[in-house]
Amino acid sequence: MSSLYRKSSFPSFKNLQTLVLFSSMFSLFYLLCSVSTLAIADSIPGMAVEDTDARRSELFSDILRDEAVYRIDQLGKISDADGYLERTFMSPASIRASNLILSWMQDAGLRTWVDQMGNLRGRIEATNASAEALLIGSHLVIAFSDEEGVRFQSTFLGSAAIAGILPVSALQITDKSGVSVQDALKINSFEVTEESFLQLNYDARSVWGYIEVHIEQGPVLESLGHPLGVVEGIAGQTRLRVTVRGSQGHAGTVPMSMRRDPMPAAAELIILLENLCKHPENFITYDEQCKGLTEESLAGSIVCTVGEISSWPSASNVIPGQVTFTVDLRAIDDMAREAIIFELSSRMHQICDRRSVYCIIERKHNAEAVYCDPGLSLQLKFAAHSALKRMESEIQGDVPMLMSGAGHDAMAMSHLTKVGMLFVRCRGGISHSPAEHVLDDDVWAAGLALLAFMETNM
């Protein structure tokens, strides 16, 4: 199918100045390069005009589904680990994946470049040089570099830089090995300076909007039997690092009554977190200070996770001197999230005082909830419906509207422009796992929906 890509095949965009692409395995976005080749039906030598519709229909089947799925599979083979996918910020695999997508963009006729934060960009120029730009993209753990925040525990590094909300000080954030963001970029020949860093962001006046396609990472669409859903909003999230310090000692010689053991203290703190998030109504008092926060806004909207825990010196016969764990807390209602954090911090310190251990609670990441633009959401809903009609799908009912509990680059981009998101069904709601899977036809539906959206606005 690669031979079908011609640099002259892209439509001339009049209403928008540019289309800016940030390709991604997880968002399935780079299939847009395949989508755009549909325009070649009018430029293939010797093709009769009356054959155009039939040829386009064939291209839908051959490229939008098969070629896009093939490319996803190709990217899935590029990993820093065996047996599962691992591509952290500026790792060797992330660079190889970026180079592969760069080649696909160039083959499709896009003007491409990689900026000083490692964001991969591809651009289609419009006939109207003064029009605004439509941005489409997401993460590959590069494309928007480091959306996940796995390596540096600070999400949306790439998109936040483009949106103009990432402080220069973020370049000095370090990973577990002591390597800073700036060091990681320099190792890969990105000589980012404070001046070049400040030039990364777009002028909001030059941007029309931002669209992102992503797997749902949850079970709702599958339970509804629908391949696509439109995102209404994205939950706010806070990441904490909790450090509990006690007295290190020998496991056999220190009596239980004399121990200042941070491990059972940490266990009690984690149980507190679970209870607080499961039953916030048992902990939060509602008064005039709540400013509209209700029990209903808390019920079912809070999720909390301890995903990482470690001890020092981590020996089986030693009472640890320190235990550290992470907390990931999310809620659609920002006030509810802050109320939970306040109550959690207060009660954690009380437990630590009672157990005679020292407790440090650090806020490592904070992002407010984001609501998608109603106009863009409506257009995406119509586009999804149009896609299913083109596929002659038997799916009945309206396109679902969903809230996202997972964070996305759209959160950072909302500081720059209006945003819209389209979710794609995934099997079992599983993500961040080797078992993550999307049906080929659902990839096809997403590509057709994105194409329909573009046709409406270009």
Side-chain angles (χ1 to χ4, degrees):
M1 295 303 163
S2 297
S3 62
L4 290 176
Y5 290 83
R6 299 188 178 184
K7 293 186 178 181
S8 62
S9 67
F10 281 97
S12 295
F13 299 138
K14 298 179 180 179
N15 297 329
L16 296 178
Q17 160 65 12
T18 57
L19 169 64
V20 181
L21 308 171
F22 303 92
S23 303
S24 162
M25 173 182 172
F26 293 101
S27 71
L28 312 178
F29 173 68
Y30 52 81
L31 59 85
L32 185 58
C33 292
S34 297
V35 172
S36 299
T37 61
L38 294 172
I40 68 173
D42 295 319
S43 64
I44 296 178
M47 177 176 288
V49 174
E50 57 267 25
D51 292 337
T52 297
D53 290 341
R55 179 58 177 160
R56 282 180 173 169
S57 178
E58 180 184 346
L59 286 172
F60 285 157
S61 177
D62 290 349
I63 296 178
L64 283 181
R65 181 180 60 193
D66 300 337
E67 180 74 5
V69 169
Y70 170 76
R71 293 183 177 202
I72 292 170
D73 291 340
Q74 290 298 107
L75 283 173
K77 296 175 182 177
I78 303 175
S79 177
D80 290 311
D82 295 327
Y84 60 93
L85 181 62
E86 178 182 314
R87 287 199 301 260
T88 54
F89 181 68
M90 289 292 129
S91 73
S94 75
I95 298 300
R96 293 199 304 274
S98 177
N99 289 337
L100 178 58
I101 292 180
L102 183 68
S103 70
W104 290 339
M105 287 182 171
Q106 291 172 341
D107 287 346
L110 281 70
R111 180 168 67 85
T112 61
W113 71 99
V114 181
D115 67 27
Q116 294 300 300
M117 279 298 291
N119 295 309
L120 173 58
R121 308 197 197 189
R123 183 179 181 119
I124 303 173
E125 304 293 350
T127 56
N128 182 355
S130 63
E132 298 168 318
L134 167 63
L135 310 183
I136 307 180
S138 184
H139 65 101
L140 170 85
V141 193
I142 177 157
F144 270 149
S145 55
D146 209 33
E147 186 262 11
E148 294 288 352
V150 173
R151 180 173 180 180
F152 292 98
Q153 295 295 301
S154 182
T155 59
F156 316 134
L157 286 178
S159 53
I162 283 179
I165 60 172
L166 187 70
V168 177
S169 59
L171 294 174
Q172 305 310 317
I173 297 173
T174 58
D175 63 13
K176 293 178 181 178
S177 301
V179 178
S180 69
V181 172
Q182 189 168 25
D183 291 338
L185 289 165
K186 187 174 183 179
I187 291 170
N188 289 280
S189 302
F190 293 102
E191 295 286 349
V192 60
T193 64
E194 181 173 341
E195 181 180 359
S196 63
F197 179 85
L198 295 174
Q199 294 175 351
L200 289 172
N201 62 294
Y202 279 94
D203 182 344
R205 294 170 298 181
S206 69
V207 178
W208 179 80
Y210 170 79
I211 297 297
E212 181 173 341
V213 183
H214 205 288
I215 64 168
E216 181 195 355
Q217 300 179 279
V220 176
L221 288 175
E222 187 176 52
S223 69
L224 295 174
H226 211 290
L228 303 175
V230 176
V231 180
E232 289 187 285
I234 306 169
Q237 58 180 279
T238 298
R239 291 185 182 181
L240 307 174
R241 181 168 64 189
V242 180
T243 303
V244 186
R245 294 175 180 166
S247 293
Q248 181 180 332
H250 194 286
T253 61
V254 181
M256 296 299 291
S257 61
M258 299 179 67
R259 297 187 178 194
R260 295 175 54 238
D261 190 340
M263 184 62 78
E268 186 174 351
L269 298 182
I270 293 171
I271 293 298
L272 165 67
L273 174 70
E274 181 187 37
N275 290 334
L276 183 56
C277 292
K278 277 187 173 179
H279 306 288
E281 68 279 2
N282 296 337
F283 297 86
I284 304 295
T285 301
Y286 300 90
D287 54 29
E288 64 276 3
Q289 300 298 319
C290 289
K291 299 180 181 179
L293 179 62
T294 64
E295 189 170 324
E296 289 73 23
S297 66
L298 283 172
S301 69
I302 300 286
V303 289
C304 304
T305 304
V306 174
E308 185 178 351
I309 185 168
S310 62
S311 66
W312 183 87
S314 193
S316 60
N317 64 337
V318 177
I319 302 167
Q322 177 174 297
V323 174
T324 301
F325 62 91
T326 60
V327 173
D328 184 302
L329 194 152
R330 309 184 187 212
I332 295 297
D333 190 305
D334 286 330
M335 185 176 292
R337 179 169 48 86
E338 289 297 336
I340 292 292
I341 293 172
F342 177 83
E343 191 67 24
L344 176 67
S345 299
S346 176
R347 291 178 180 263
M348 278 185 165
H349 284 297
Q350 292 175 19
I351 291 172
C352 289
D353 288 344
R354 172 167 51 79
R355 286 183 168 271
S356 299
V357 294
Y358 182 57
C359 183
I360 303 172
I361 304 172
E362 302 172 274
R363 189 176 295 213
K364 304 299 291 184
H365 171 73
N366 199 73
E368 294 183 352
V370 168
Y371 285 88
C372 295
D373 179 74
L376 289 181
S377 296
L378 185 60
Q379 290 187 49
L380 286 172
K381 190 172 183 178
F382 287 148
H385 181 70
S386 173
L388 296 177
K389 286 184 64 177
R390 291 190 190 188
M391 295 173 64
E392 299 181 355
S393 171
E394 297 180 358
I395 295 173
Q396 302 295 321
D398 209 1
V399 176
M401 302 291 290
L402 308 175
M403 298 299 293
S404 174
H408 299 285
D409 282 308
M411 299 181 78
M413 297 301 287
S414 69
H415 293 271
L416 175 68
T417 186
K418 59 186 179 182
V419 301
M421 281 196 70
L422 188 69
F423 270 170
V424 184
R425 173 174 55 187
C426 56
R427 185 172 59 194
I430 298 172
S431 72
H432 294 79
S433 163
E436 179 180 306
H437 179 75
V438 178
L439 295 173
D440 292 2
D441 278 354
D442 290 358
V443 174
W444 189 23
L448 287 171
L450 194 55
L451 176 62
F453 175 86
M454 292 174 61
E455 288 175 338
T456 300
N457 289 285
M458 297 301 181

